[in-house]
Amino acid sequence: MSRKMLVIGEARDGALRNVTFEAIAAAAKVSDGGEIVGVLCGAENLEEMGQEMIYHGADRVVTIQNEKLNTYTSDGFGQAVMAVIEEEKPEGIIMGHTAIGKDITPKLASKLETGLISDAVEIEETGDNIVFTRPIYSGKAFEKKIITDGLMFATIRPNNIKALDRDDSRSGSVSAKEVDIADLRTVIQDIIRKTSDGVDLSEANIIVAGGRGVKSAEGFKPLEELADVLGAALGASRGACDAEYCDYSLQIGQTGKVVTPDLYIACGISGAIQHLAGMSNSKVIVAINKDPEANIFNVADYGIVGDLFDVVPKLTEQIKEIKV
Ligand code: FAD
């Protein structure tokens, strides 16, 4: 049965986040040939980003440009997206399971009086059903869910569903919609960024993470050098954040970010259950730890028992040589 799907796009610093393209791919799986309509809210650059959504598989994109959508608020974006939902009447909605996705989708689902499958890592068609797989108990188990009736509303975890190849021969309309946005109850005065310009942790393909074993803020330097040659993002355990070796924005785990990169290199991290909750679904895990009994080795695909201050610089040098 074909379904008309709505994909809520997400941008940062004037460019679409990759998870938007993954959400289009997820919608394509679910739509069974039905129309895929993108929606983009913001204050600038929407036409160009809408075109990118078309190149990545959307059939049509509706943009809502408004000064009140300059920065994300659930109030403003909620009103804008609701207006598109009411007009388009999709049979399904997909968005990334990002900070914004986690904030806005439950509110929309509640307004629409429908359910929501959040944080899907896999979507497959089995017989007449679309089956969504999502982690439970902090990633220790997975559950499979189907929607038997009504709107197929889901968020997808970044880095799990492969985006479709970009095809700039695809065509489709990008149309602007006027939405009268009522006065916002929340006004963003200023955004103070804690992270640097580096690769976004939640969408990174490679992560080099440090734990209390790095011993100081200075101890992160060799990890930063390794991350640089690999084009990786830097992450950390809560142990390292608590010890003030790095900012909490780098924390991975149960109370930090949940990541699923292709490669996760854990340096001086013991592998506490709360840390594993945020990274154990990474595709390949490399652990560097001087304690052969460290729990991290139980989830690692490759383990190096050694001092990270010896191992990491050697790794960086080797990778530099391979890359030359
Ligand atoms: P440690 O456990 O101290 O491990 C340091 C490791 O470094 C050791 O294995 C040691 O052998 C190794 N090491 C030391 N020196 C070297 C060296 N020179 N070379 C190589 N290896 C070396 N933790 C998280 O990470 N994320 C979370 O989101 C999180 N949420 C939590 C929520 C709750 C409610 C609670 C109670 C805890 C949470 N924690 C979380 C904390 C968690 O339980 C651990 O305390 C924390 O993960 C430990 O960090 P660590 O592995 O860096 O430090």
Side-chain angles (χ1 to χ4, degrees):
M1 185 193 78
S2 74
R3 279 185 200 87
K4 178 178 182 178
M5 297 296 300
L6 192 77
V7 172
I8 306 173
E10 202 186 317
R12 181 185 283 169
D13 298 331
L16 284 170
R17 297 189 64 178
N18 198 47
V19 70
T20 300
F21 306 134
E22 295 169 353
I24 295 172
K29 272 192 175 183
V30 174
S31 70
D32 198 13
E35 190 183 28
I36 300 172
V37 182
V39 52
L40 275 176
C41 307
E44 56 186 18
N45 211 18
L46 299 183
E47 166 83 31
E48 201 180 307
M49 290 192 286
Q51 200 55 56
E52 275 306 314
M53 286 181 81
I54 304 269
Y55 294 157
H56 282 85
D59 296 307
R60 187 159 61 80
V61 176
V62 180
T63 63
I64 304 145
Q65 185 162 354
N66 191 306
E67 278 307 307
K68 289 179 183 157
L69 304 175
N70 193 16
T71 45
Y72 173 80
T73 58
S74 46
D75 191 4
F77 275 55
Q79 291 182 50
V81 175
M82 261 319 274
V84 178
I85 294 172
E86 277 162 8
E87 187 172 279
E88 295 288 340
K89 299 187 178 39
E91 287 146 310
I93 306 174
I94 305 230
M95 186 177 186
H97 194 69
T98 57
I100 290 180
K102 283 183 236 180
D103 185 63
I104 197 170
T105 52
K107 289 178 180 130
L108 291 172
S110 152
K111 278 213 166 82
L112 294 163
E113 296 186 0
T114 188
L116 170 69
I117 294 180
S118 62
D119 203 15
V121 292
E122 203 180 302
I123 301 175
E124 38 183 359
E125 208 174 341
T126 51
D128 288 343
N129 288 323
I130 302 286
V131 183
F132 294 81
T133 305
R134 63 184 297 275
I136 51 171
Y137 305 126
S138 301
K140 286 195 277 299
F142 291 89
E143 66 174 359
K144 289 185 182 289
K145 289 203 153 184
I146 56 168
I147 294 173
T148 52
D149 196 16
L151 196 66
M152 191 160 284
F153 197 176
T155 61
I156 56 156
R157 183 179 287 196
N159 259 349
N160 281 267
I161 293 163
K162 199 176 172 312
L164 304 171
D165 289 337
R166 183 178 189 274
D167 176 2
D168 59 14
S169 67
R170 280 182 58 83
S171 60
S173 76
V174 180
S175 58
K177 180 176 165 58
E178 288 289 327
V179 178
D180 203 10
I181 296 182
D183 281 346
L184 303 181
R185 285 164 291 181
T186 318
V187 177
I188 307 288
Q189 300 276 4
D190 196 9
I191 296 174
I192 300 159
R193 285 183 194 270
K194 285 194 157 183
T195 43
S196 62
D197 305 331
V199 184
D200 180 4
L201 197 51
S202 53
E203 289 190 357
N205 287 326
I206 307 177
I207 293 175
V208 177
R212 222 184 321 246
V214 302
K215 295 194 173 65
S216 66
E218 194 60 21
F220 260 98
K221 278 268 147 55
L223 276 61
E224 279 167 20
E225 284 162 19
L226 177 59
D228 268 358
V229 293
L230 289 170
L234 208 59
S237 70
R238 178 157 142 189
C241 300
D242 283 345
E244 299 183 357
Y245 302 160
C246 62
D247 193 87
Y248 278 102
S249 58
L250 299 190
Q251 186 184 319
I252 291 164
Q254 186 182 317
T255 44
K257 294 198 168 79
V258 176
V259 297
T260 36
D262 292 337
L263 174 62
Y264 188 90
I265 306 178
C267 311
I269 295 178
S270 60
I273 190 76
Q274 295 90 352
H275 186 76
L276 302 188
M279 47 63 73
S280 61
N281 291 320
S282 303
K283 289 171 195 90
V284 175
I285 298 171
V286 175
I288 303 166
N289 197 302
K290 65 181 186 186
D291 174 8
E293 301 296 325
N295 192 44
I296 193 77
F297 290 126
N298 292 325
V299 295
D301 299 282
Y302 300 93
I304 302 172
V305 178
D307 188 322
L308 71 93
F309 296 104
D310 289 336
V311 177
V312 173
K314 281 184 186 145
L315 213 51
T316 307
E317 282 316 307
Q318 287 291 314
I319 293 164
K320 272 187 190 160
E321 272 178 35
I322 295 167
K323 283 184 122 184
V324 170

